[in-house]
Amino acid sequence: MASPSRKSLIPTTFYDQAKGTRRGLYWLTPVLVLVLYLCVMGAFIWLQRLQSDSVMFVTIDQETRQQRLIMVVVALSCLIILSLLALWRYTRFRSRAEAALIAETGFRRAMENSMSTGMRVFDMQGRIAYVNPAFCRMIGWNEADLIGRTTPFPYWIPGRHAQHQETLDLLLSGRTPSSGLEVEAQRRDGSRFTARMYVSPLRDPNGEQIGWMTSMTDITEPKRIREALTAAHERFMTVLEGLDDAISVVADTPDGLELLFANRTYRRFFGAQSNGHAELLGGRLGRFTDETVEAFSTSAQRWFEVHHRMLAWTDGRRVRLQVARDITERRTHEEASRVQQEKIQLTSRLTTMGEMASSLAHELNQPLTAISNYSMGAVAMLKAGNPKPEQLLEALEKAASQAERAGKIISRIREFVKRSEPRRQKVPISRILDNAIAFADIDARKRQVEIDRETPPDDPTVLADPILIEQVLLNLLKNGVEAMEQSDYRTLHVKVTEQLPLIEIAVIDRGHGLRDPERLFEPFYSTKSEGLGMGLNICRTIIESHHGRLWASANPEGGTIFRFTLPFAAPEAPDQPENSQELHA
């Protein structure tokens, strides 16, 4: 290995070249002045000799000779002055050029020293001819340790000299790619870093190549960040591609929707086109909509729960993000569950009517007996042959009234137990109370329990299926009546209170009470020996489907309080055109 030298090789070559090309004519001006001076002196001596020896001056008087001599001296002096002026002008030009060169050299040196890019020059033999301070800071070695060094260089990584030598051979051969080379190096303290190196040929003023200029930038941190971002992007894409939701992003263009991104689930359902996105938009194109809707795709023959929102794309455009979740199986299960729930609710109503069968039979027996008695009385008056129209009319009217009473009881029972589709509507709470209490009052009178109701004076309206809510209320009233059968307090209270935006209905009994009221709502749990334990569970399901809540608590005065809530029916507003907020890209 060659011994290191403090003298740079490449700059010396430049200085020698400058000396050879710029100083070739510098000596002409002082030589010319000296020649002129010698000429003046020689001419003066020659004229003095001519004055004594030449025949030409014999006939010329002394004054003429003196004038000629002065003219020659003046002419030569002018030439000397002109030469000195030219020399002064050249000297001033050169002084300015040297000052400019010094300033430019200082500026270039300052600029070079302030660079963060490491500059390094190799000569044609592969020796380091020049390094800038940034390169020294980058590897931790100073300039004196590097100038003149040949392979192996001190910043090469131990054990990888062969790889570094291949990189150096590629550099010296001039076959380095224009995009640069990624190299690894070791600092003086043993730490390693990654740099990107760019190579360009270094030429002298004559165009002859005298070395290679390399620039190196430390890319350790940018590379780490880039690798971290790449890994994060890969993880993110893995997650997106693995989702069961169909995710797509489109942009509005004059030619329609342009698909910018689609994950694997979207491509599986709709391919690599924007048609699926447009189909699931459901006519919401041109509006900002963040609500979640359910839509059926005819092309995929599937139901989707679609969430749509606007966001800013990487290029600043406003684009549409759509997340579509396949809910076909869920809707199938919901439909099956709904049908099953309807069957259970119908069974519950039939069970309630079965439990009340004896009470209902007794209730129907009274109007039927009255009808029979009134009819037989009317027949007796007719057979007697002396009927009184007033008495006959009164008997027939009472018979008709009892028949109407029986008909209402049968009609109410038929309406209560018949199978029908759930139908939510705006219904006054008093109507639900009337029907439910009318049923429960039959059993209550049998057990000698009075049902007392307390409602707000404005008779609030709820949004509910009246038959289902009547089923819930009847079940609670029937339980309360049965609980108070052995109680000294004989009044069952039904209280309605307004708790905007809800209405609360409370059934308050003074029965034997319960230790753990919440267990009543567990399936197949019952405090009755003949009970199935499904009634209250079904009631809670019905109330929750109406966006309400059903719960039980102990009555401080003894017994149990059952409460449930229902939403107020919103007042009807006049139809207004839907406001749409147009998309501004």
Side-chain angles (χ1 to χ4, degrees), residues 119-141:
M119 307 298 294
R120 175 186 58 179
V121 175
F122 288 108
D123 63 11
M124 300 304 293
Q125 288 73 37
R127 292 177 298 173
I128 298 178
Y130 167 79
V131 290
N132 72 336
F135 184 84
C136 296
R137 290 192 300 269
M138 187 180 299
I139 65 172
W141 299 83

Side-chain angles (χ1 to χ4, degrees), residues 401-471:
S401 176
Q402 293 299 322
E404 184 179 358
R405 176 186 171 189
K408 286 183 178 180
I409 294 174
I410 295 174
S411 176
R412 191 180 297 118
I413 294 173
R414 289 185 58 191
E415 183 178 1
F416 186 78
V417 301
K418 73 177 181 180
R419 182 173 182 176
S420 61
E421 294 291 331
R423 183 166 49 92
R424 295 187 185 181
Q425 56 186 331
K426 294 180 180 180
V427 55
I429 193 66
S430 60
R431 173 184 160 189
I432 296 176
L433 292 177
D434 291 340
N435 292 338
I437 292 176
F439 273 124
D441 195 50
I442 299 173
D443 194 39
R445 290 200 306 270
K446 179 181 177 182
R447 301 176 189 268
Q448 297 180 353
V449 175
E450 180 184 356
I451 299 178
D452 178 68
R453 55 186 288 180
E454 181 182 344
T455 59
D458 57 348
D459 192 15
T461 302
V462 295
L463 182 64
D465 186 319
I467 299 297
L468 295 180
I469 303 303
E470 288 172 15
Q471 177 182 351

Side-chain angles (χ1 to χ4, degrees), residues 93-325:
F93 169 76
R94 181 166 180 173
S95 299
R96 291 179 177 177
E98 288 178 352
L101 181 60
I102 292 173
E104 182 179 356
T105 302
F107 173 73
R108 290 177 180 269
R109 177 66 65 178
M111 181 174 63
E112 178 183 317
N113 292 341
S114 63
M115 291 176 57
S116 60
T117 301
M119 307 298 294
R120 175 186 58 179
V121 175
F122 288 108
D123 63 11
M124 300 304 293
Q125 288 73 37
R127 292 177 298 173
I128 298 178
Y130 167 79
V131 290
N132 72 336
F135 184 84
C136 296
R137 290 192 300 269
M138 187 180 299
I139 65 172
W141 299 83
N142 56 37
E143 182 180 3
D145 298 324
L146 298 174
I147 299 298
R149 291 289 295 265
T150 58
T151 57
F153 299 118
Y155 47 82
W156 280 7
I157 299 176
R160 298 173 60 180
H161 287 185
Q163 180 180 351
H164 288 296
Q165 186 63 48
E166 292 179 1
T167 303
L168 181 62
D169 294 341
L170 180 65
L171 185 154
L172 297 177
S173 64
R175 292 183 286 109
T176 55
S178 59
S179 59
L181 293 173
E182 187 173 303
V183 296
E184 287 190 69
Q186 179 173 285
R187 298 185 180 93
R188 192 168 190 171
D189 59 3
S191 60
R192 298 180 182 181
F193 67 97
T194 305
R196 179 160 291 277
M197 180 176 65
Y198 298 90
V199 183
S200 60
L202 183 66
R203 303 182 184 278
D204 62 11
N206 295 327
E208 182 181 355
Q209 183 175 350
I210 57 176
W212 297 95
M213 172 67 76
T214 65
S215 62
M216 294 178 62
T217 304
D218 187 353
I219 61 170
T220 305
E221 187 63 17
K223 182 180 179 181
R224 184 190 67 79
I225 296 175
R226 184 174 64 252
E227 291 176 350
L229 290 175
T230 302
H233 179 264
E234 290 178 356
R235 290 193 295 268
F236 181 67
M237 289 303 299
T238 301
V239 172
L240 283 182
E241 292 293 335
L243 288 177
D244 293 332
D245 297 346
I247 301 176
S248 57
V249 179
V250 299
D252 293 318
T253 64
D255 298 329
L257 296 179
E258 176 189 358
L259 186 64
L260 302 178
F261 172 81
N263 69 342
R264 181 172 56 188
T265 305
Y266 178 92
R267 297 192 299 270
R268 177 164 55 87
F269 284 128
F270 307 106
Q273 303 297 327
S274 62
N275 300 336
H277 188 108
E279 183 179 12
L280 295 180
L281 275 176
R284 295 177 294 167
L285 186 63
R287 297 196 299 271
F288 288 108
T289 54
D290 289 334
E291 74 275 9
T292 300
V293 298
E294 294 183 359
F296 181 75
S297 171
T298 56
S299 59
Q301 290 296 307
R302 310 287 290 182
W303 278 96
F304 291 94
E305 183 181 74
V306 184
H307 181 76
H308 174 264
R309 62 173 297 185
M310 308 301 300
L311 53 83
W313 196 238
T314 54
D315 56 4
R317 288 185 294 175
R318 297 285 292 175
V319 297
R320 304 176 184 275
L321 168 67
Q322 183 172 269
V323 180
R325 176 169 296 175

Side-chain angles (χ1 to χ4, degrees), residues 535-575:
L536 289 177
N537 181 266
I538 295 172
C539 291
R540 172 172 277 186
T541 302
I542 292 173
I543 295 301
E544 289 178 350
S545 70
H546 284 75
H547 307 289
R549 178 170 167 252
L550 171 62
W551 73 100
S553 60
N555 187 355
E557 299 177 357
T560 309
I561 303 176
F562 285 90
R563 292 184 174 92
F564 66 92
T565 58
L566 293 172
F568 262 104
E572 294 185 357
D575 295 337

